[in-house]
Amino acid sequence: MAKDFKRPDGRGVEDIRPMKAEVGVVPNADGSAMFSFGNTIAIAAVYGPKKMHPQHQQDPKKGTLRCNYNMISFSVTDRIRPGPSRRSTEISKITEWALEPVLMIKNYQNMVIDVHINIIQADASTRCAGINAAALALAHAGIPMRDIVSSVSIGKLDKQLVVDVDKDEEDWEEGEGATDIPITMTSSERLTHIQLDGKISNDELKQVLELAKKATKKVYEVQKKALKESLEVKE
Amino acid sequence: METPNSTGDRIAQYLKDGKRFDGRKPGEFREIFVETGVSKKAEGSARVRIGKTEVIVGVKMDVGAPYPDSPNKGNLMVTSELLPLSSSRFESGPPKFPAIELGRLVDRGIREGKFVDFKKLCIKEGEKVWTVFVDIYTINHDGNLLDAAAIGALVALKTAKIPKYDGETGKVIYGEYGDEMMPVSKEIPIVTTVHRIGDSILVDPTLEEEDISEARVTIGGSCEGKVFSMQKGDSGDLSIEEMHKILELSENVRKEVFSKIDKFFK
């Protein structure tokens, strides 16, 4: 890897933008959290577990995790038309799949856990921020979990691998262009989500997985700290 | 009908010994059959059968305005319909997630794989460009609709002719074609899906196998070892070692699939 590689905002190749995490941001919800990577801000709220309604959607074998990812219309430069899109529908489902392996969803027969994710401000990696916020909100809601999941995007700008892609990097056009690889892992290094757009070799992908392993650990520490702090403040 | 647990358990048990109900190896595809020219009204079309699974894919074109962020490029729209005629599991109505996912995964396979040269589909920069509609219809669902649809999209695009366009009236003259073909690249981006059932990794599942699949990774890439698009599906997790195995198997499978359809790309 080139040591003299310059990222648009001057970060080192493995540096994540400043992360912030806070739980309890939506008092009405059973659990809630905010997570941000620099200018990308996501909030998530959990309602449930509650009886699934309508009744015909109840699953007698296991509970249902229902995620809803939504970008606020003014979160990006060109206003987004409110309401679901094909993109947001896909990200919602991907988020469910990323979170479900750590939930003991079998214990909630006929019930549903609703997770609402909203992107307030977008500067790329919004799905990763959303998943991190959702994982925190589920833990904050006191829902039993085997582990927590942490998400980060790995990028390839021309030939250089970088951690936590921002919007300037997402639009990288020099050389081989940009490859964006959002990845979610548990703290015990199980992969629960991976996507990719761009151009990359298998060998590079193996390096990507190693980078993701290290980077998700850093996200995990931020999440853990936020949860601990929420317990300490209460007196 | 859903696959009964007893059948699912037996499939998983067989897989532990590397065996499948239909005698295939875990990394082996069913027979692939491809036919072109399914509909004369389409600019290009294809029928793909993988075992008993069948899809038809058609390409239609129209002239419209470009997107503001790509004023000199044509547009691509991939949609899919899971027809109720193809399985008792599909119902009519607005597209649900599986149909959206199918369309988006095929879309990204083509787009990220740079299969179509959209710059050549620009008529007047900032004003008029070709929009390419790729529409996927399922005819019979016996697992692995996605890989079948992706093959169908490639072949339909490759065989698509660009209809004549009258610059003065601004109308497309459907049914009349010049010599212009869809501008496609030599590098063919193949999209295939690898599944994990228990500790076994397999490709091209039948419907019963697909029902008990715990996790799947759809990978689009070239036969020259590059990966262009990837997405993990379903709620099972994967170890990093399993992911390595999936990447390697996927690369081999891309070559195998391409060898069965390469006659359309000569």
Side-chain angles (χ1 to χ4, degrees), chain A residues 86-87 90 93-94 97 100-101 185 190-192 194-200 202 205-206 213, chain B residues 78 97 104 108 112 226-235 237-240 244 247-248 251:
Chain A
R86 279 156 57 103
R87 173 180 177 274
E90 180 179 83
K93 196 73 199 174
I94 291 284
W97 288 333
E100 217 184 279
M185 280 187 189
R190 304 281 297 179
L191 208 65
T192 68
I194 181 165
Q195 285 172 290
L196 180 152
D197 285 316
K199 185 173 188 175
I200 195 164
N202 272 0
L205 269 172
K206 285 175 188 170
K213 211 155 89 179
Chain B
V78 183
F97 176 72
R104 280 184 64 88
R108 302 218 317 270
E112 300 298 330
K226 289 284 180 189
V227 173
F228 307 121
S229 61
M230 173 153 64
Q231 182 155 304
K232 180 186 155 293
D234 291 343
S235 51
D237 56 7
L238 297 164
S239 69
I240 291 180
H244 285 186
L247 288 173
E248 273 150 34
E251 193 175 339

Side-chain angles (χ1 to χ4, degrees), chain B residues 29 73 76 102 119 126 169 177 237 239 241 245-246 256 258:
Chain B
F29 253 71
K73 283 181 182 172
L76 175 69
L102 183 61
K119 280 193 182 144
T169 60
Y177 300 98
D237 56 7
S239 69
E241 291 69 38
K245 269 196 224 164
I246 288 171
E256 187 197 329
F258 182 67

